[in-house]
């Protein structure tokens, strides 16, 4: 059979092959025909010596372009096949009545949030989250177990003890009010109540709650007052001996000096006893009222305890009598002051006091 026969059993060779007798293009030469076929899949005219239309027909029809089997979103029309070298025509804009949405599609570059909108069917709560600025407390609501919390204080006691505690607090409150009222009436100027109930007020105040306002007086105390005492002793062989003067104020001052927490007795006991005696006696050491005897006994008891502490009575000696005096000297004026103040001490000496039997035994122990 001839090679140019077009029967079904004829050999088909590609144009321009090494076995193609028709091709006149020498080996190594290039053709000026573009590689892309003409539109419509029909080969254009070839130059002299090139394969003609019959050769294009003999090579068979061109392969069909691949088309997408999925319908397009705009009505199910398929896109035309892409032809190399020819740009595709722009898609027409959808018409308003064509059923295609013209709104922008949400995405990361569109600036539109893709999060679901909260609503009753979306399962997302629209209530504000609790926080420090929202005014909503994040603490859980108290449950039924909150009422079972253990009680403290008076509420934890039984009813009987609660009543007893309430009565005790009421008594303390009344006593505090009475005490404050008595102190106020004691330091207040003379009035109708103090004139009528002055004795009851003094019995409540003296000697434990006595008030001394000399520090706040217009002319504060500018004197050094020392309380001194001496004793008369009976010796073991029946003789008598008189001790020297013990400066009790100097002993208290030495105990207070350098002590960060001095006791109340070291600071005030002796001074208050002496002031109490002077306030209840006149210049001749005679008592001016019922409190005169009380102040005398109080001062005597204080000085006897101090003599026993200093071991004034020796072995086998008995304390019989005591005598108290005060030494008062003005505080010297400072160097920059022109005021002239006498520093000569003045003494106020009391008579001898005999001791009762109980105080003698205690002082001699």
């Amino acid at each position: 059979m001839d090679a140019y026969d077009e029967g079904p059993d004829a050999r088909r060779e590609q144009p321009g092959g090494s076995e193609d007798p028709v091709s006149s293009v020498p080996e190594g030469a290039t053709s000026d025909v573009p590689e892309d076929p003409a539109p419509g899949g029909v080969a254009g005219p070839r130059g002299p010596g090139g394969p003609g239309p019959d050769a294009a027909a003999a090579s068979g029809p061109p392969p069909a372009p691949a088309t997408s089997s999925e319908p397009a979103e705009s009505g199910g029309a398929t896109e035309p096949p892409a032809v190399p070298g020819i740009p595709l025509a722009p898609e027409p804009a959808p018409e308003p009545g064509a059923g295609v949405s013209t709104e922008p599609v949400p995405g990361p570059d569109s600036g539109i949030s893709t999060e679901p909108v909260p609503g009753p069917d979306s399962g997302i709560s629209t209530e504000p989250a609790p926080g420090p600025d929202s005014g909503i407390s994040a603490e859980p609501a108290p449950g039924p177990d909150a009422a079972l919390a253990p009680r403290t204080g008076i509420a934890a006691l039984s009813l009987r003890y609660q009543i007893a505690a309430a009565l005790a607090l009421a008594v303390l409150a009344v006593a505090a009010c009475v005490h404050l009222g008595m102190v106020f009436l004691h330091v207040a100027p003379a009035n109708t109540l103090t004139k009528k109930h002055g004795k009851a007020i003094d019995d409540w105040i003296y000697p434990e709650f006595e008030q001394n306002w000399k520090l706040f007086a217009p002319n504060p105390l500018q004197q050094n007052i020392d309380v001194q005492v001496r004793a008369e002793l009976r010796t073991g062989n029946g003789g008598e001996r008189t001790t020297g003067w013990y400066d009790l104020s100097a002993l208290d001052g030495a105990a207070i000096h350098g002590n960060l927490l001095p006791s109340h007795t070291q600071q005030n006991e002796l001074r208050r006893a002496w002031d109490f005696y002077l306030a209840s006696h006149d210049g001749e050491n005679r008592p001016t009222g019922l409190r005169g005897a009380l102040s005398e006994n109080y001062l005597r008891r204080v000085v006897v305890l101090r003599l026993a502490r200093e071991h004034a009575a020796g072995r086998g000696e008995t304390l019989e009598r005591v005598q108290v005096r005060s030494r008062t000297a003005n505080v010297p004026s400072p160097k920059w002051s022109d005021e002239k103040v006498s520093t000569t001490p003045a003494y106020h000496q009391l008579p001898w006091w005999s001791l009762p039997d109980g105080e003698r035994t205690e002082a001699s122990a």
Side-chain angles (χ1 to χ4, degrees):
M1 180 177 295
D2 192 7
Y4 293 97
D5 291 342
E6 296 180 358
D9 298 332
R11 290 180 57 190
R12 298 181 181 270
E13 299 291 337
Q14 293 294 334
S18 60
E19 298 180 357
D20 188 6
V22 182
S23 178
S24 59
V25 180
E27 187 176 359
T30 59
S31 173
D32 56 354
V33 181
E35 296 179 358
D36 295 319
V42 181
R46 301 288 301 274
D54 296 339
S59 64
T67 58
S68 174
S69 60
E70 298 179 358
E73 293 181 359
S74 60
T78 59
E79 297 180 357
V83 181
I86 300 178
L88 297 177
E91 298 181 358
E95 298 180 359
V100 181
S101 176
T102 60
E103 297 181 357
V105 180
D109 300 332
S110 62
I112 303 176
S113 175
T114 58
E115 298 181 358
V117 180
D121 299 334
S122 63
I124 302 176
S125 174
T126 58
E127 298 180 358
D133 299 333
S134 62
I136 303 176
S137 175
E139 299 180 357
D145 297 337
L148 302 179
R151 296 180 298 178
T152 59
I154 299 180
L157 303 175
S158 60
L159 180 60
R160 179 173 57 183
Y161 289 103
Q162 288 182 4
I163 296 175
L167 291 177
L169 291 177
V171 171
L172 291 177
V174 172
C177 293
V178 172
H179 178 71
L180 292 177
M182 289 293 187
V183 173
F184 173 77
L185 293 175
H186 175 71
V187 300
N191 51 67
T192 304
L193 288 177
T194 56
K195 292 178 180 179
K196 185 177 181 180
H197 304 285
K199 185 177 184 304
I201 296 173
D202 292 342
D203 292 342
W204 181 277
I205 295 298
Y206 292 107
E208 289 82 5
F209 307 114
E210 182 183 1
Q211 304 295 314
N212 188 347
W213 299 97
K214 292 181 179 180
L215 180 63
F216 304 100
N219 186 17
L221 188 64
Q222 299 180 359
Q223 294 175 333
N224 290 326
I225 301 176
D226 295 336
V227 178
Q228 301 174 352
V229 62
R230 66 179 178 175
E232 186 178 282
L233 305 175
R234 184 176 297 276
T235 62
N237 55 7
E240 294 183 354
R241 182 176 69 88
T242 303
T243 64
W245 290 100
Y246 287 86
D247 195 341
L248 302 182
S249 298
L251 295 175
D252 288 345
I256 295 173
H257 183 70
N259 188 357
L260 297 179
L261 298 174
S263 65
H264 178 75
T265 57
Q266 291 174 342
Q267 300 179 78
N268 302 315
E269 182 184 42
L270 182 62
R271 178 181 58 83
R272 301 290 289 274
W274 180 252
D275 291 341
F276 185 27
Y277 178 85
L278 293 180
S280 59
H281 288 73
D282 58 10
E284 299 296 331
N285 297 323
R286 292 177 298 189
T288 57
L290 298 178
R291 298 174 63 242
L294 176 63
S295 63
E296 181 178 331
N297 293 333
Y298 181 65
L299 178 60
R300 188 185 68 248
R301 288 284 298 167
V302 170
V303 297
V304 167
L305 292 176
R306 294 297 182 89
L307 288 174
R309 188 183 305 171
E310 298 298 326
H311 304 286
R315 183 181 299 275
E317 295 180 341
T318 304
L319 191 62
E320 294 290 335
R321 298 190 304 173
V322 294
Q323 187 180 25
V324 181
R325 74 174 183 180
S326 65
R327 179 183 181 276
T328 304
N330 294 324
V331 177
S333 58
K335 297 179 179 180
W336 47 264
S337 176
D338 297 334
E339 184 180 3
K340 302 298 182 181
V341 178
S342 174
T343 58
T344 303
Y347 294 93
H348 182 189
Q349 188 167 318
L350 305 182
W352 286 92
W353 291 333
S354 298
L355 302 183
D357 294 338
E359 294 184 10
R360 290 179 183 177
T361 305
E362 183 177 356
S364 303

